[in-house]
Amino acid sequence: MKKTTAYYWFMALLIAQANVFAASVNNKIIYRLERTEYSGFTLPEYAKSSQCIIYNNGNIVIKNSASILTTTSRDKVQIEGDLQDLIVKAAEGKFTTNPYPVDASTITYIAYPDKFPPTVKLAPIALFEQNGGTGQEIINENAAATVLRNFIDLHCSN
């Protein structure tokens, strides 16, 4: 039986589709941890902010700003233990919401989806938040959320 060019194109297309399917099945949802802080309602010369991001591969990026001055530092750590499993457990937490002073400073601890299949829509996982903009304090009561907050503080504290 003689195979035509169309046959080879069809086979190449099938193989390519199989590779795309396999890649999407093997994609794992990966989260990064992030802590952000910024001053509340204040004069511009007193305003300051910081952001610390811990990636699953151990990269840590810290940005600090005061008015028009900004610094960025990078570090690399080796994370032992299953960080992603702990984040998934924290996602199961129940939340307590309390009032918080409006115009006060804000600090948030959040796990953001960093890498995931394009067909998946994910929301960030709140670990803790004291928000002077919204006037709310949100606490994730899951023990895993507390461990993650402590882990973030160990690597992101000034």
Side-chain angles (χ1 to χ4, degrees), residues 32-113:
R32 69 179 189 269
L33 298 174
E34 189 170 315
R35 181 177 88 175
T36 56
E37 293 181 71
Y38 48 91
S39 52
F41 182 72
T42 188
L43 295 171
E45 60 268 23
Y46 294 108
K48 60 183 179 177
S49 65
S50 68
Q51 177 187 43
C52 178
I53 303 170
I54 302 173
Y55 293 93
N56 189 57
N57 64 2
N59 287 334
I60 299 174
V61 178
I62 300 172
K63 295 179 183 180
N64 293 307
S65 298
S67 186
I68 60 170
L69 301 173
T70 301
T71 61
T72 302
S73 60
R74 292 170 170 43
D75 197 5
K76 177 81 172 178
V77 297
Q78 183 174 341
I79 299 173
E80 295 179 14
D82 195 342
L83 178 63
Q84 297 303 309
D85 184 53
L86 206 55
I87 293 170
V88 169
K89 288 178 183 173
E92 299 168 359
K94 293 182 181 173
F95 296 94
T96 300
T97 303
N98 301 313
Y100 185 74
V102 175
D103 293 337
S105 60
T106 296
I107 185 167
T108 61
Y109 295 79
I110 297 177
Y112 285 102

Side-chain angles (χ1 to χ4, degrees), residues 137-153:
E137 176 183 67
I138 300 170
I139 302 168
N140 184 331
E141 295 180 1
N142 191 298
T146 303
V147 170
L148 290 168
R149 282 177 46 205
N150 289 335
F151 180 76
I152 293 168
D153 281 341

